[in-house]
Amino acid sequence: MSFLSTTKNKFLFLLSIFLLAEIFSWLAFYFSWINLFILIIIALVTIVLIWQKPIFALYIPLAEIVWGSLGHSFDYGFLSIRLVIFLIIILFWFSKNIFKIKKWQIVTDTRLWPVYLMILFLLMLGIVTGYYKNFTKLDIFLDVNAYFYLLYLPIWYQVYEKKYLKNIFVIIKAAVLVITLKTLIVFNVFSQYLHGIDNDFYRWIRDTRTGEITDMGNNFYRIFFQSQFYLLIAWFWLFIKNWQKFIWLRFIFLSFISAALLISLSRSFWLGGVVALIFLFINLLILNKQKFWLHVLRVLAIGCGAFLIVQVFYNVPKINNINILQQRATDIHEPAVNSRLQLWDPLLQEIKYYPFTGHGFGKQVSYHSQDPRVEGLHSVYAFEWGWLDMWLKAGFIFVLAFIYWFWLLYKRAYGIVKHDIQMALFVLSSITSLIIIHFFTPYLNHPLGLGLLILVTILISYEKRTDHNYKSFNLER
């Protein structure tokens, strides 16, 4: 298609696709047959595209995960858009390549391949342990099913080449723009017009599990989408690009993304972003001392721009009074914070029993909740403390395997810093934010976090294995 020969046209095309997806998701909320229709279309398109070009086994799931939050924008029975795409790609690729393991690119990565196999083994062990201990079968499945997303790693590793990098970030930018605009528009609609959650607009977002809308008082609504995580990732990529060549359009985009992240009122995102930004600044100070303070000023300018954008969407057309951002940052007594704090000791106590092997998936922990919705003694199998969740279920060795994976990415990022500083800084910032966020909000045991981990792994590993200035993986020390 000649229309898609330029980056601009690809961006506009993808933007149109994401916007149409939003419209059809809204319509499907009223007419359930649309869900089935869309899922059939998605299935057919996925089959055709990956048959013609294997790289679509990366493009399609990446586009869905960046845009689709929890992956239920289209549901029909037990099928969801994320599940349909996953099953088609996994079955198609493994049916063709399961007996060609020696030809898999990832097998040549003698540092990553063993730890990947170790993680898969420990996942299986956690499932078996959960069944052996008679944990609820549905809890076991729901607890572990997100980790199946790791099966994308050998596929993405195989199909990715450097020439596809620009398309990957065009996909991410288009999806991030839609999420940003959706956040701001929903925020304005609730702050200015709906004033409550007893409406179909709220139910659409809730029932598709796109996100959460919470009345914070003074007509200020928290608009939190799980996929806003990728706003933070896109922020770092755009900021790093703007570091080397300043473009006003990027600066504006960064301000709008920052505004959406403020409206999310996610302290996990804020903390992960701040820590990653400090880490980025440390690296920039080492690599380019002359322009360090210019970068600081740009961040401050982006912050001011973001605050003004929030004010506009909050106060137009009707003037409101904003003080909720400061309250959110400092309030440690709200239910979400209390639930995390109440879970801390019970989790640590349970971890002590099986610190190395874990209890198995589906393990429940009881704690006294002060959340008005579930006040009293409450038992759950999913926890906000992401790293502790992994430790409890699959053991310290499982956690250690992921730590090694991250260490490998840090090592490789610093290994390419001389010839591809943008990629190196992007990987360093992204994985740092993911590590911090996962402490307080589980993302590494969810496709949203695993998707990023797999993506940066193939990007940095491709750079490493194709850079002749470095030793091959088999000789890496």
Side-chain angles (χ1 to χ4, degrees):
M1 296 175 67
S2 59
F3 171 76
L4 298 179
S5 60
T6 67
T7 300
K8 178 182 177 182
N9 287 343
K10 288 177 183 177
F11 176 79
L12 293 174
F13 175 76
L14 288 166
L15 189 62
S16 301
I17 293 295
F18 287 127
L19 291 173
L20 282 173
E22 292 286 356
I23 294 170
F24 277 107
S25 177
W26 169 253
L27 292 173
F29 176 72
Y30 293 100
F31 308 101
S32 60
W33 63 267
I34 294 179
N35 284 290
L36 180 60
F37 174 74
I38 294 295
L39 290 178
I40 292 172
I41 295 298
I42 291 293
L44 293 175
V45 169
T46 301
I47 291 170
V48 171
L49 289 179
I50 63 175
W51 181 272
Q52 291 182 341
K53 291 187 177 182
I55 188 59
F56 279 95
L58 191 163
Y59 289 162
I60 294 174
L62 178 65
E64 190 282 323
I65 200 170
V66 177
W67 167 76
S69 235
L70 295 184
H72 293 272
S73 296
F74 298 99
D75 273 344
Y76 193 84
F78 70 93
L79 292 175
S80 67
I81 181 173
R82 184 165 297 165
L83 181 60
V84 167
I85 293 171
F86 175 81
L87 290 175
I88 289 172
I89 292 176
I90 294 300
L91 291 174
F92 180 85
W93 196 84
F94 279 98
S95 65
K96 291 181 61 178
N97 297 282
I98 190 65
F99 298 111
K100 303 176 183 178
I101 294 180
K102 291 183 179 180
K103 295 183 179 180
W104 292 7
Q105 291 284 349
I106 192 173
V107 175
T108 65
D109 190 338
T110 56
R111 288 294 181 90
L112 179 62
W113 179 240
V115 74
Y116 176 68
L117 292 179
M118 174 64 75
I119 288 171
L120 294 183
F121 170 76
L122 293 173
L123 285 173
M124 295 302 299
L125 182 62
I127 294 171
V128 172
T129 303
Y131 274 100
Y132 177 77
K133 293 185 175 181
N134 291 318
F135 295 154
T136 305
K137 291 181 174 59
L138 181 60
D139 287 353
I140 295 173
F141 173 76
L142 294 176
D143 206 9
V144 77
N145 77 93
Y147 285 110
F148 295 151
Y149 214 79
L150 286 169
L151 294 176
Y152 275 129
L153 178 60
I155 302 174
W156 291 11
Y157 206 109
Q158 190 79 12
V159 302
Y160 174 72
E161 296 179 29
K162 184 67 175 284
K163 63 183 179 181
Y164 300 128
L165 180 63
K166 186 176 291 186
N167 289 341
I168 287 172
F169 281 102
V170 169
I171 291 170
I172 293 174
K173 282 194 293 184
V176 162
L177 179 57
V178 171
I179 298 166
T180 300
L181 294 176
K182 184 176 180 179
T183 301
L184 294 169
I185 292 169
V186 172
F187 174 66
N188 181 259
V189 167
F190 277 87
S191 296
Q192 292 289 328
Y193 303 104
L194 294 182
H195 300 309
I197 58 175
D198 186 19
N199 54 75
D200 283 349
F201 201 32
Y202 168 79
R203 282 186 281 272
W204 167 55
I205 291 173
R206 180 198 64 190
D207 292 354
T208 56
R209 299 171 65 184
T210 302
E212 305 167 9
I213 300 175
T214 308
D215 186 353
M216 306 299 293
N218 297 322
N219 291 331
F220 194 99
Y221 285 80
R222 180 196 187 206
I223 312 298
F224 174 75
F225 303 146
Q226 286 81 2
S227 54
Q228 287 166 340
F229 167 70
Y230 280 94
L231 270 59
L232 187 61
I233 304 308
W235 192 99
F236 282 109
W237 176 252
L238 292 168
F239 181 77
I240 292 166
K241 294 280 285 186
N242 234 27
W243 162 58
Q244 292 196 316
K245 184 179 180 181
F246 183 83
I247 296 175
W248 275 104
L249 190 59
R250 281 198 200 123
F251 174 81
I252 295 170
F253 196 2
L254 283 164
S255 297
F256 272 84
I257 290 174
S258 301
L261 288 170
L262 284 176
I263 292 168
S264 75
L265 295 183
S266 171
R267 282 172 295 227
S268 298
F269 289 169
W270 295 353
L271 182 60
V274 168
V275 173
L277 186 61
I278 292 172
F279 185 62
L280 175 62
F281 276 166
I282 292 172
N283 284 280
L284 289 175
L285 182 61
I286 296 170
L287 297 169
N288 195 341
K289 295 180 181 179
Q290 291 84 359
K291 293 185 177 181
F292 175 77
W293 291 109
L294 179 61
H295 306 323
V296 175
L297 290 174
R298 285 176 178 173
V299 170
L300 293 175
I302 290 168
C304 292
F307 188 75
L308 289 174
I309 292 168
V310 173
Q311 289 280 17
V312 169
F313 278 85
Y314 183 56
N315 290 298
V316 175
K318 179 184 175 182
I319 301 298
N320 288 301
N321 180 29
I322 185 166
N323 61 7
I324 199 71
L325 293 178
Q326 180 181 357
Q327 176 186 334
R328 173 68 176 176
T330 58
D331 187 1
I332 62 171
H333 300 293
E334 66 173 51
V337 177
N338 276 324
S339 293
R340 285 180 173 89
L341 295 176
Q342 294 296 326
L343 260 172
W344 179 265
D345 284 338
L347 276 173
L348 291 178
Q349 291 299 320
E350 291 291 344
I351 286 171
K352 289 179 181 178
Y353 291 113
Y354 299 97
F356 295 105
T357 59
H359 288 265
F361 292 102
K363 167 64 178 175
Q364 291 193 359
V365 173
S366 298
Y367 71 103
H368 287 278
S369 173
Q370 296 179 6
D371 188 333
R373 296 168 296 183
V374 289
E375 194 168 1
L377 188 64
H378 189 48
S379 298
V380 291
Y381 68 86
F383 316 103
E384 293 298 315
W385 299 102
W387 289 105
L388 293 184
D389 181 283
M390 296 167 74
W391 192 354
L392 175 77
K393 276 69 172 287
F396 182 69
I397 299 174
F398 184 70
V399 174
L400 201 61
F402 272 94
I403 292 173
Y404 176 82
W405 190 344
F406 279 109
W407 173 83
L408 194 61
L409 294 179
Y410 277 111
K411 185 174 184 290
R412 290 178 178 176
Y414 281 114
I416 67 164
V417 74
K418 290 183 179 179
H419 82 282
D420 195 345
I421 189 171
Q422 286 189 3
M423 179 61 70
L425 292 176
F426 168 70
V427 171
L428 292 170
S429 304
S430 298
I431 60 178
T432 299
S433 64
L434 176 57
I435 289 169
I436 299 301
I437 289 170
H438 187 60
F439 272 104
F440 308 100
T441 304
Y443 268 85
L444 263 181
N445 52 1
H446 190 278
L448 288 166
L450 293 173
L452 175 68
L453 179 60
I454 296 169
L455 179 63
V456 296
T457 298
I458 64 163
L459 296 182
I460 203 71
S461 297
Y462 184 87
E463 293 288 338
K464 188 76 169 63
R465 74 175 187 265
T466 56
D467 181 7
H468 300 298
N469 295 320
Y470 295 91
K471 298 177 181 179
S472 69
F473 282 137
N474 292 320
L475 300 175
E476 187 177 80
R477 295 289 182 268

